[in-house]
Amino acid sequence: MLKAAVVGVGAIGQNHARVWRGVSGVDFVGVVDSDPTAATRVGTYNNVPAFTSLEALLEKVKPDVVSVCVPTSLHYETGLKLLDANIHVLMEKPIASSLEQGEALVAKAKDKGIVLAVGHIERFNPAVMELRRRLREGMAGRIYKVLAQRLSPYPPRIRDAGVVIDLASHDIDLMRYLVSEPITRLVGETLQGINSDREDMFDGLLRFQGGALGVLDVNWMTPTKVRRLTVTGARGLFECNLLSQELFFYENESAPSQWDALSVLRGVTEGNVLGIRIQRHEPLAAEINDFVGAVRDGRAPTVTGEDGLETLRIALAFVQSGKDGTPVHYGQPVAPR
Ligand SMILES: NC(=O)c1ccc[n+]([C@@H]2O[C@H](COP(=O)([O-])OP(=O)(O)OC[C@H]3O[C@@H](n4cnc5c(N)ncnc54)[C@H](O)[C@@H]3O)[C@@H](O)[C@H]2O)c1
C-alpha cells in the first residue's frame, strides 16, 4: 500500500489532507507544517501524526508520495529533498519561483525515474474535461480565441508571488491544455504595488502557433470571485463557469452543419444554445487520483513537471513584458491573419 503525506497544511494543504485520507488503497501517514498549531489541528482532524519538519516526517514515517503545499518560494527546496529521498511529488502550482529551480526539479525527477506532477487543478474541473473532449471532437470547429477571466479579492496570505504567477498560471496552463500548440508570442500589461509589492492586476494577450488568440484578464482587485472561460470557434462559442462547473454552447447558425466540413465560414449568426450536462466531481480528488495512478502504473501524470515548467516560463515572460512594455517572441513570429 502506498504511504502518503502532505507538507504544508494551510489553505490548500488541509484540503489535500482531507482528500488523501479517503483515497482507496493508500495509507495516509502524516502531515507536516512549520506552524505547530496548524500541524496539530490538521493532524488531529485527520487522525494522523503531525510533524513540524520534513526531516522528522522522513525519519518517522517515510512516505512514498507527498503533496507539497508550502508557499511557492519553498517549493524548490522542499521538492528537491523529497525527490532526493526517492519520493514521488505532487507539487502545488506553480512548480517553483524561477525557471532554474523548475528545471532542476524536472531534471531530478527524470534522473531518478520519479513522478513529479504539478497541481494545475483546472485540468481536473469536470466542465473543462467536457469542454476539452468536445473541442477535440470538433464541435466548435477551428479555435479562434480562448478568453480567461479570473478575478478575486486580494489574498493577504500570498506574500511570495504576484497575481500572474499565482493566479494566471491556472489559465495559462488551461489554454495550453485546450489548444495543444506552442505559444509563439505574447504581451502583458500589469499594475503593481496596489495591494502587494508585485503585480496585482494583469491583462495578457498571446498567440498560438496555429493562429488562435489567448486573452487573459486576471487580478486580485475585484470584490467578487469570477472564473470564466470562453472558447470562440468557427462553429460557435463555448462558455464555461469554472466555479459552478457549468458549460454552455452558443451555436453559430451560419456555420456549415457537418462538424468535419471545415469549409469557408460565411458569417456568424445566433443559433441554438445548448446547456451541456456535467457529471460534477471534486477537481482536487481527481487530481490526486491521477497522481496515484501515474505512480502505480508508471505513466506520466496529466500535468507533468514539464507542463508546470512551460506554464511558469510563459507566466514569467508575461511579468517581464509587463515591466518592460515589450512583446516577447518565441522562434519565428506567425504571419498575421
Ligand atoms: N491549486 C490551487 O488551486 C491552489 C490554491 C491555493 C494555493 N495553491 C498553492 O499552494 C501553495 C500554498 O498556498 P496556500 O494558499 O495554501 O498557503 P498558506 O500560507 O495558506 O499555507 C502554507 C502552509 O505552509 C506552511 N509552511 C511554511 N513553511 C513551511 C515549511 N518550511 N515546512 C512546512 N510547512 C511550512 C505554513 O505554516 C502554512 O500553513 C502555494 O504554492 C499556492 O500557489 C494552489
Side-chain angles (χ1 to χ4, degrees):
M1 212 186 236
L2 283 177
K3 291 198 284 180
V6 178
V7 182
V9 284
I12 194 75
Q14 59 187 312
N15 287 303
H16 279 252
R18 171 182 52 76
V19 170
W20 273 118
R21 196 181 62 197
V23 178
S24 69
V26 168
D27 194 8
F28 185 36
V29 293
V31 296
V32 179
D33 202 293
S34 54
D35 172 356
T37 310
T40 306
R41 183 176 55 79
V42 180
T44 306
Y45 181 77
N46 292 287
N47 203 20
V48 291
F51 304 94
T52 51
S53 75
L54 181 54
E55 289 69 24
L57 175 89
L58 297 186
E59 193 189 311
K60 296 276 194 299
V61 290
K62 185 154 188 327
D64 305 298
V65 295
V66 165
S67 286
V68 175
C69 306
V70 290
T72 297
S73 52
L74 297 174
H75 284 191
Y76 172 66
E77 64 172 73
T78 310
L80 209 58
K81 279 183 197 163
L82 291 165
L83 295 172
D84 269 332
N86 295 316
I87 295 168
H88 303 280
V89 171
L90 171 54
M91 181 70 79
E92 258 305 342
K93 48 55 56 179
I95 185 170
S97 299
S98 72
L99 282 185
E100 295 71 25
Q101 292 177 352
E103 280 163 0
L105 289 173
V106 168
K108 176 71 77 178
K110 193 172 171 201
D111 186 41
K112 294 225 161 208
I114 291 173
V115 175
L116 169 63
V118 183
H120 285 293
I121 194 168
E122 296 288 19
R123 290 196 190 196
F124 300 95
N125 186 316
V128 168
M129 292 166 76
E130 184 62 25
L131 169 62
R132 185 168 187 261
R133 196 177 68 72
R134 288 182 183 250
L135 288 174
R136 297 206 145 202
E137 277 178 354
M139 189 167 172
R142 192 176 133 200
I143 298 176
Y144 294 141
K145 173 174 161 178
V146 185
L147 164 72
Q149 263 189 318
R150 187 172 295 263
L151 318 177
S152 286
Y154 179 66
R157 69 175 194 285
I158 308 289
R159 292 196 207 98
D160 57 358
V163 80
V164 180
I165 306 297
D166 190 72
L167 275 192
S169 57
H170 282 296
D171 302 298
I172 295 166
D173 179 71
L174 261 190
M175 287 187 185
R176 292 188 53 246
Y177 190 51
L178 293 175
V179 178
S180 300
E181 285 174 10
I183 290 165
T184 52
R185 66 187 187 219
L186 60 84
V187 64
E189 287 288 354
T190 54
L191 295 184
Q192 307 205 12
I194 305 167
N195 277 322
S196 70
D197 58 357
R198 293 162 200 251
E199 348 54 85
D200 294 309
M201 189 167 267
F202 164 62
D203 283 273
L205 183 59
L206 59 81
R207 186 135 191 167
F208 286 94
Q209 195 165 51
L213 303 179
V215 180
L216 297 108
D217 171 16
V218 182
N219 70 61
W220 50 37
M221 297 294 302
T222 308
T224 184
K225 205 168 165 180
V226 175
R227 303 282 186 268
R228 180 170 174 260
L229 185 79
T230 67
V231 180
T232 308
R235 302 183 178 284
L237 172 89
F238 278 107
E239 179 168 36
C240 185
N241 183 329
L242 299 166
L243 284 178
S244 58
Q245 303 186 346
E246 287 176 296
L247 182 63
F248 293 91
F249 184 63
Y250 297 80
E251 193 183 18
N252 171 14
E253 203 159 55
S254 303
S257 59
Q258 292 300 309
W259 288 359
D260 56 352
L262 291 178
S263 53
V264 182
L265 183 64
R266 294 204 169 72
V268 179
T269 52
E270 281 186 54
N272 294 319
V273 181
L274 177 66
I276 296 168
R277 198 170 69 84
I278 303 294
Q279 200 76 45
R280 294 197 172 87
H281 63 235
E282 184 183 5
L284 184 58
E287 176 184 291
I288 286 178
N289 277 300
D290 177 76
F291 171 58
V292 169
V295 171
R296 284 205 181 118
D297 303 343
R299 61 162 171 84
T302 295
V303 191
T304 61
E306 285 85 353
D307 284 321
L309 190 57
E310 188 55 23
T311 290
L312 180 62
R313 189 188 313 280
I314 301 297
L316 289 170
F318 268 131
V319 174
Q320 200 57 45
S321 172
K323 279 185 184 151
D324 300 347
T326 51
V328 176
H329 288 265
Y330 296 98
Q332 292 299 311
V334 286
R337 285 169 201 271

